[in-house]
């Protein structure tokens, strides 16, 4: 049950500041994703696992999915992470994360997962706090309100599409403390559900990196990579959108994706700078020369709407639009494959 405080806060935000979903056909492609990104970053900063902002974000996402007609649930899980003090001592912090799952069934049991994370960085040490990494003021516009915004527009636009394969949207908490949310989700999957999961599409940090990348998981079969990664690149080039792919290596961050490790076919979508070297795939190192000392990731003073809009004008609009323009036809095709005609004897 919601506490009275959470109910009042959520009702106030929804009624006074955040627009409810409208038909995606009424808005240009990508506009709803951008609006949702800006809403979430503005009204729910500090979405650390177990925080009031994370709980409110989960409430908001569930409300949005339900309004679109999806069967939507929240899923709590208990976990912990280690916090390091400046004197060298370490303590375990127990937290409860809240993930959100929304689903539409298809004609057959097989399904496609569209996954992103809803939490922002939780400081893991006194050094993180001193460096202003994470915390209550981190908007996390790029990491990862962007993924949530694109997910919500995709869900809206796919809500009325007839489906051969089902689609499940999964907004995970606890990913910023070591992928605890995805590990919890995998642990709860029944064997039949695992067997019926055809593909996992992961959306993360879509804005700041120099180029949008579509990367297959290390365990993704070549035939599936052609149908997913290569098809995404083809769709993008048809629109004149500059995209690329990158073969994952151990020096990348995050080096491991839980769904990939579990053997699921994976398409990972993120903006990055792999052209600068493998180590920069996650850092977004050069932002027109205005991100000093390297990275925007997790930094309260940089991963916010004001800073990104100032130094990358138009980037939020562009990446929101490009992501939806590529992913919408891709998922539509994958969820409704062409019927194979039987050969005449």
């Amino acid at each position: 049950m919601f506490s009275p405080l959470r109910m009042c806060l959520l009702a106030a935000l929804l009624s006074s500041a955040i627009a409810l979903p409208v038909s995606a056909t009424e808005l240009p492609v990508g506009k709803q994703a951008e609006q949702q990104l800006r809403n979430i970053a503005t009204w729910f900063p500090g979405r650390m696992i177990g925080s009031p902002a994370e709980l409110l974000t989960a409430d908001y996402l569930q409300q949005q999915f339900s309004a679109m007609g999806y069967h939507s649930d929240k899923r709590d899980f208990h976990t912990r992470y280690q916090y390091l003090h400046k004197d060298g001592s370490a303590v375990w912090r127990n937290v409860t994360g809240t993930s959100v799952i929304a689903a539409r069934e298809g004609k057959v049991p097989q399904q496609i997962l569209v996954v992103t994370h809803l939490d922002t960085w939780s400081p893991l040490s006194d050094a993180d706090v001193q460096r202003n990494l994470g915390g209550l003021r981190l908007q996390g516009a790029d990491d990862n309100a962007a993924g949530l915004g694109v997910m919500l527009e995709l869900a809206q636009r796919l809500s009325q599409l007839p489906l051969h394969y089902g689609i499940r949207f999964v907004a995970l908490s606890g990913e910023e403390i070591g992928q605890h949310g995805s590990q919890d989700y995998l642990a709860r999957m029944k064997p039949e559900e695992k067997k019926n999961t055809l593909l996992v599409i992961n959306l993360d940090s879509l804005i700041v990196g120099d180029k949008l990348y579509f990367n297959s998981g290390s365990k993704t079969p070549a035939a599936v990579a052609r149908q997913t990664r290569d098809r995404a690149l083809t769709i993008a080039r048809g629109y004149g959108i500059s995209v690329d792919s990158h073969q994952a290596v151990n020096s990348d961050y995050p080096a491991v994706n839980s769904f990939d490790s579990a053997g699921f076919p994976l398409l990972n979508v993120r903006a990055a700078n792999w052209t600068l070297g493998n180590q920069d795939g996650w850092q977004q190192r050069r932002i027109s020369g205005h991100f000093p000392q390297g990275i925007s990731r997790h930094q309260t003073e940089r991963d916010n709407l004001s800073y990104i809009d100032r130094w990358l004008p138009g980037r939020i609009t562009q990446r929101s639009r490009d992501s939806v323009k590529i992913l919408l036809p891709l998922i539509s095709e994958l969820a409704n494959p062409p019927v194979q005609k039987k050969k005449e004897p």
Side-chain angles (χ1 to χ4, degrees):
M1 296 293 291
F2 297 155
S3 70
L5 175 59
R6 284 177 63 193
M7 291 180 67
C8 290
L9 283 172
L10 184 62
L13 286 170
L14 292 176
S15 63
S16 64
I18 301 179
L20 297 179
V22 297
S23 173
T25 59
E26 297 177 11
L27 296 172
V29 172
K31 189 62 177 178
Q32 188 180 23
E34 179 182 356
Q35 289 177 346
Q36 292 284 11
L37 183 165
R38 293 183 182 277
N39 285 339
I40 292 167
T42 300
W43 295 104
F44 306 121
R47 301 180 297 279
M48 300 173 291
I49 183 172
S51 68
E54 181 237 24
L55 294 172
L56 285 170
T57 305
D59 290 343
Y60 174 69
L61 292 172
Q62 185 190 33
Q63 183 273 338
Q64 295 285 285
F65 284 124
S66 296
M68 297 174 194
Y70 287 87
H71 176 72
S72 181
D73 292 310
K74 290 183 298 181
R75 180 179 291 178
D76 292 342
F77 63 96
H78 305 292
T79 188
R80 65 176 186 167
Y81 66 94
Q82 194 173 63
Y83 186 91
L84 182 65
H85 291 289
K86 59 184 177 182
D87 63 3
S89 62
V91 296
W92 286 100
R93 292 187 171 179
N94 297 313
V95 289
T96 299
T98 304
S99 299
V100 181
I101 302 164
R104 277 190 65 212
E105 302 300 325
K107 295 179 181 178
V108 296
Q110 287 78 16
Q111 64 178 359
I112 297 168
L113 300 188
V114 181
V115 178
T116 192
H117 72 88
L118 64 87
D119 59 320
T120 52
W121 182 255
S122 298
L124 301 179
S125 65
D126 288 343
D128 277 2
V129 174
Q130 292 175 349
R131 292 161 56 199
N132 210 18
L133 299 181
L136 296 174
R137 295 189 302 110
L138 176 60
Q139 286 191 344
D142 181 42
D143 186 17
N144 190 32
L148 293 171
V150 169
M151 172 183 278
L152 287 169
E153 179 164 340
L154 289 172
Q156 177 68 59
R157 290 185 177 273
L158 293 166
S159 62
Q160 303 301 318
L161 181 74
L163 298 176
H164 183 73
Y165 299 131
I167 297 179
R168 188 173 295 259
F169 295 96
V170 184
L172 296 168
S173 185
E175 292 300 274
E176 294 287 29
I177 60 168
Q179 303 183 35
H180 291 208
S182 53
Q183 292 166 11
D184 173 78
Y185 186 87
L186 286 165
R188 298 195 196 194
M189 290 182 79
K190 298 177 181 179
E192 193 67 19
E193 186 181 0
K194 292 181 178 180
K195 178 182 176 181
N196 288 330
T197 299
L198 303 175
L199 176 69
V200 178
I201 301 175
N202 184 62
L203 311 175
D204 192 9
S205 301
L206 303 173
I207 306 299
V208 172
D210 288 347
K211 187 178 288 188
L212 200 58
Y213 281 80
F214 291 81
N215 302 327
S216 292
S218 63
K219 297 184 180 181
T220 302
V224 177
R226 288 193 295 271
Q227 292 177 310
T228 57
R229 177 198 62 203
D230 295 353
R231 179 59 181 148
L233 299 180
T234 299
I235 293 171
R237 288 161 186 159
Y239 284 119
I241 301 171
S242 178
V243 297
D244 210 336
S245 65
H246 167 78
Q247 182 61 48
V249 295
N250 291 335
S251 58
D252 290 344
Y253 182 94
V256 177
N257 177 282
S258 297
F259 292 97
D260 186 32
S261 298
F264 290 95
L266 174 70
L267 178 64
N268 194 49
V269 186
R270 67 183 299 123
N273 294 348
W274 272 296
T275 53
L276 300 177
N278 292 330
Q279 75 277 10
D280 293 322
W282 56 277
Q283 288 189 338
Q284 302 96 37
R285 187 171 67 179
R286 280 193 321 212
I287 310 300
S288 303
H290 296 297
F291 274 46
Q293 301 178 1
I295 63 175
S296 63
R297 185 171 172 272
H298 303 157
Q299 298 196 25
T300 301
E301 302 304 323
R302 297 176 189 170
D303 191 2
N304 63 70
L305 297 171
S306 177
Y307 197 86
I308 295 172
D309 283 339
R310 179 183 179 187
W311 297 114
L312 291 172
R315 176 66 68 82
I316 291 177
T317 299
Q318 173 197 342
R319 283 287 166 72
S320 299
R321 179 183 64 245
D322 290 352
S323 298
V324 176
K325 287 183 76 171
I326 299 167
L327 288 166
L328 181 62
L330 177 67
I331 296 173
S332 299
E333 291 175 7
L334 293 172
N336 290 291
V339 177
Q340 295 289 337
K341 293 184 178 181
K342 294 183 179 180
K343 295 182 178 180
E344 295 293 334

